[in-house]
Each structure stands twice: as structure tokens, then as C-alpha cells.
Amino acid sequence: MSSQVRLRLLPSDRCLYDEPIQVKVSHLRSRQVVTIKASSTDEKGVLFSSSATYRADGNGDIDLVRDASLSGSYVGVEPMGLLRTLKPNTLNTLFIKEEALEPHMVKFSVHDEEQDQILAEVTNERLLMADGVSRVSVKEGNFRGVLFTPPGTGPFPAVLDLSTIMSERRAALLANKGFVVLTLPVFQEKLGNLKMLHLDPFEEAIIFLLQQPKVGSKRIGIIARSKAADVALSLAAFVPGVEAVVWINGCSANTAFPLFYKKRQILPALKVDTKKFIPTQSGAVIAKYAMDDPLKEENRATVIPIEQANTNFLFVASEDDLNWDCNIYKMEMEERLKRHGKKNFESMCYPRAGHMLEPPYTPFCPSSVNMFVKMQIMWGGEPRAHAAAEVHLWKKIQEFLRSHVSCDPVQLTDLN
């Protein structure tokens, strides 16, 4: 490595996962062309990497906020492009970073390709938990999950974070913003053993969450995507205590498994026809048009009666979602609520975003295995537009939850 060339991450090498950084290189030769690389290994041991070529200015400086990439994983000015474009060394692989205690470690390095030399390197430590946030594993009654609590006395609003499989990332990041967050997997047992889904364990989780000493809200917010999003709608419609729901790229009907509550079936399952999957050259399939139409007469019983919910909704749909026809479901719910004289909803639509909307600066995933059909599925999205949607949505989610899941007295703390 060159002793002169300097690579800096500003404001610090250490930051929260959802915070941007400024990458700067100095002490290069005037107009020198170099390659800046990023690499990270996920929790499954999969290596993700990206690179971009830059030309230094007359002073030998490069600033990714100012300067355009000439070639590589992306072209143009994109300050966080190296993170967004991290790609796996195996096709159709999802970036796995779900455990909150360990940071996301990304190594940045500057290379002189002509000399085959590393000029400088630095590691970015991207924390999922801010200082003082507590993490406690929870196993109560019929549910298991993880509880994140901000520092301070509160009171704080309560949020239930539902994910298809166990994930701590979004919940930890919301706790950093001043929410008490309980994260649960929708499926508390192996899918192979599952014949039905029950709302009762989620009701237990809501009661548990509202009983936490730092919680000041009388009702909770829920955030969920995909299959978990229709579970969130069902909780709003049938279970007391839900003040707000953030529904992301889901369905307006109950999908996959019959839904039970209080020992009786409340909704049958909308089915998927795998014969309608569309194959692609990558080996992954497009599943967007394979779900049965919930508005057909024979499927209407699967539609979740959100019009009976005393809940505020934020509907979020990606127009380039290749897994669900979620924008159609969003519009159907909007129209249904309007017909019932309801104004308790907001909507967001992202034209070139795909299914996998995550907290900001997560590596973009075009395709990976779908746990239901055990096939490689295309998720959709134009990478740069998808990344911009994630940044915008993350702020919107926080604003929506702060606005509707209120405490008395209001004391919402942003730890950033």
C-alpha cells in the first residue's frame, strides 16, 4: 500500500447501517485514474463486492459526493453506489444481515490497476444498534421474537415488526429512532409442518408489547412486507390494539394458508398457480401473475376486511415488483376504503422499485429463493431507482409511525 494515498470515510469509519457516508481519496497524482472497491461477507459466508473507476482532480482528490464513476458497477455520481451495487459471487443470492448485535462490515480499498497495487484501504463498521439500545430475546406463550428498546425513560411508541422469516435488521434500526420494537417471524414453525396460520400468537405479542414499562402508546404500529403484510392487515381487521399499519408490497387477501383466530377459521387462503410462472434466462421465474385474482367471486372470501379496522394505513407498492401485483392490490384497498367512506390511509408508489424494499444502503437483490415455492424468484426493480425508493420510504415510515402511534406525553427520541 502507498504510504501517501489517503482513503477517508466521513464523518466516521463507524456509523449506523442506515446512515450515508462520504468516501474521499486524497494525495493521488493529478488526474490519476484509480479503482475504488468495496467488499463484504454476509452471515452465510457469501462474499459481496463492487467496484468503480474514478479520475482524480488536478489536486489528486476524489470525492464520491462530487465525482462521477467512469465505469464499473455503476456510472455517474452516486455517493453510496459502492454499497448499493455490492453483488454476490453466486447468482440469485440474497444478502443476509439479520442479527443486530454484529455490525455490517464493509472494506473499501483504492487500487492502481496498472501497477496492480492497493494504494489505501479502510473498513466501514455499519452498526444496526445505536449506543444504549437494548436487545432481549423473547419467548412468551405461543410466540418468540426479539425486543429492542431505546435508552432513556420514554415513554416510547410501540411497533410490531413482522417478517416472513426471523429478521432483526429493520426492528433494531427503528429502535434507534425511538420506538420500542418487537420483531417476530410470521412462521413460528417450519413451513413443511404448516397447514394453517393463527392470529392468536400475534395478539399475545401485541399485549406483551403494550405491557413493556417504557411503552407509552395505548396501541401499536405494525410494519410488514410480502406475506407478512397480509398478516398485518388481518391483525388490524380482527385483533384489538392496532393503531397503524405499514403495508409494503403485499396482497389485499389472505395468502398461502387458511387463517384462524379464536379457534375458528376467519379467512381461507388465496392460492398461487405455479403453472403461470414466467421463466427467465437467469433461471429465476417471474411470479407476479401467478396469484389467483382475489376479486373473482370464488376468491372473495379471502379478501381481508380492512374496512372494519379502526387503523391508519400506509400502503406502499413498487410498480416493478415481479413477485406480487402489489400495485393492483393497493389500488383495490384504496377504492374499497373510499367506498366505505374511510379516509384512514396514505399511499406511496415507486415506479421502478422492486419487491425487496429494505432499509437504505442494503445491497440490491434482483432474485433469490422464494421459501414458499422453493424456486428462484425475480424480485424486480431498476437498481438505482430502487435504492432511491428505499431512502425515501425509510423516512416516510418513521414519519407515519410517529404521527399515528402517539404517546402521552409525546416524547419521541431520534438517537441519530
Side-chain angles (χ1 to χ4, degrees):
M1 276 188 292
S2 168
S3 58
Q4 272 197 317
V5 176
R6 188 179 182 193
L7 172 59
R8 290 178 294 158
L9 306 178
L10 302 174
S12 171
D13 298 352
R14 191 171 184 262
C15 64
L16 291 177
Y17 183 98
D18 58 347
E19 289 180 343
I21 53 170
Q22 184 177 11
V23 181
K24 299 185 80 170
V25 184
S26 56
H27 303 300
L28 294 166
R29 298 190 307 273
S30 177
R31 310 296 178 186
Q32 183 177 356
V33 175
V34 296
T35 300
I36 304 178
K37 298 182 179 182
S39 63
S40 180
T41 301
D42 78 354
E43 291 173 357
K44 298 293 186 181
V46 177
L47 176 66
F48 286 69
S49 57
S50 61
S51 65
T53 301
Y54 285 88
R55 185 187 301 277
D57 64 14
N59 295 319
D61 296 333
I62 296 171
D63 182 348
L64 268 61
V65 169
R66 175 196 68 190
D67 299 327
S69 166
L70 306 176
S71 63
S73 300
Y74 61 95
V75 174
V77 178
E78 197 170 347
M80 296 292 283
L82 287 166
L83 280 180
R84 171 186 68 74
T85 59
L86 284 168
K87 289 186 178 180
N89 54 11
T90 54
L91 194 64
N92 299 327
T93 301
L94 178 68
F95 173 78
I96 303 295
K97 181 70 195 84
E98 307 300 0
E99 296 179 4
L101 290 175
E102 297 298 324
H104 175 206
M105 306 294 286
V106 184
K107 185 175 80 171
F108 290 88
S109 52
V110 182
H111 298 252
D112 183 334
E113 300 292 3
E114 289 185 1
Q115 301 294 325
D116 191 23
Q117 182 182 12
I118 300 176
L119 303 178
E121 60 184 13
V122 66
T123 297
N124 183 202
E125 185 177 358
R126 306 187 65 80
L127 305 168
L128 274 77
M129 293 172 58
D131 291 342
V133 172
S134 73
R135 176 197 177 277
V136 178
S137 294
V138 177
K139 190 171 183 180
E140 294 276 338
N142 295 302
F143 77 89
R144 58 180 172 80
V146 178
L147 180 71
F148 293 92
T149 307
T153 57
F156 300 110
V159 173
L160 182 66
D161 184 320
L162 297 180
S163 53
T164 309
I165 56 175
M166 190 61 193
S167 172
E168 300 178 16
R169 177 171 39 183
R170 186 172 58 195
L173 294 172
L174 280 174
N176 298 340
K177 310 299 181 182
F179 299 92
V180 175
V181 188
L182 176 63
T183 182
L184 300 180
V186 164
F187 301 110
Q188 300 267 318
E189 57 183 284
K190 291 183 179 179
L191 275 178
N193 303 328
L194 204 61
K195 292 182 172 57
M196 63 191 72
L197 198 61
H198 292 264
L199 282 184
D200 306 77
F202 303 105
E203 182 177 41
E204 292 178 30
I206 290 171
I207 294 169
F208 170 85
L209 186 51
L210 288 172
Q211 289 174 343
Q212 295 308 297
K214 289 188 180 182
V215 167
S217 55
K218 293 180 172 60
R219 302 171 77 199
I220 69 159
I222 304 179
I223 181 170
R225 187 190 65 210
S226 200
K227 167 60 191 173
D230 72 61
V231 174
L233 295 181
S234 296
L235 287 169
F238 295 103
V239 176
V242 180
E243 185 72 47
V245 167
V246 180
W247 173 98
I248 305 171
N249 291 341
C251 187
S252 56
N254 176 59
T255 61
F257 300 97
L259 189 64
F260 283 71
Y261 181 50
K262 305 294 186 186
K263 298 182 179 179
R264 69 179 184 88
Q265 181 175 303
I266 54 174
L267 293 171
L270 188 68
K271 298 298 185 181
V272 63
D273 183 356
T274 56
K275 294 177 183 177
K276 294 181 180 178
F277 286 170
I278 302 170
T280 69
Q281 289 184 343
S282 72
V285 301
I286 295 172
K288 182 171 186 172
Y289 307 106
M291 188 68 72
D292 287 346
D293 183 353
L295 297 185
K296 282 189 176 179
E297 191 59 40
E298 63 267 30
N299 298 323
R300 283 186 177 273
T302 67
V303 175
I304 302 163
I306 58 170
E307 62 274 9
Q308 71 186 29
N310 181 24
T311 302
N312 296 286
F313 295 100
L314 174 60
F315 300 131
V316 180
S318 296
E319 287 189 6
D320 196 37
D321 187 340
L322 297 182
N323 182 63
W324 297 88
D325 203 354
C326 57
N327 199 37
I328 293 293
Y329 303 140
K330 175 186 74 70
M331 290 189 290
E332 185 276 318
M333 290 190 291
E334 292 169 344
E335 290 303 313
R336 181 151 40 103
L337 290 174
K338 288 176 184 176
R339 286 198 307 270
H340 284 82
K342 297 269 192 171
K343 299 180 180 178
N344 57 333
F345 66 91
E346 299 178 50
S347 294
M348 301 297 302
C349 190
Y350 294 104
R352 290 176 293 154
H355 182 73
M356 300 293 278
L357 286 175
E358 297 280 4
Y361 316 123
T362 296
F364 175 73
C365 180
S367 59
S368 67
V369 173
N370 181 301
M371 63 184 296
F372 293 105
V373 296
K374 296 181 173 59
M375 295 175 67
Q376 302 283 356
I377 295 289
M378 294 295 296
W379 302 120
E382 186 282 311
R384 189 164 183 168
H386 183 95
E390 289 179 331
V391 172
H392 183 272
L393 176 60
W394 188 234
K395 294 177 182 176
K396 179 63 182 178
I397 287 169
Q398 295 168 50
E399 292 168 0
F400 176 80
L401 291 173
R402 283 196 179 97
S403 179
H404 294 292
V405 189
S406 57
C407 296
D408 188 18
V410 175
Q411 188 175 327
L412 305 184
T413 305
D414 189 332
L415 303 183
N416 282 353

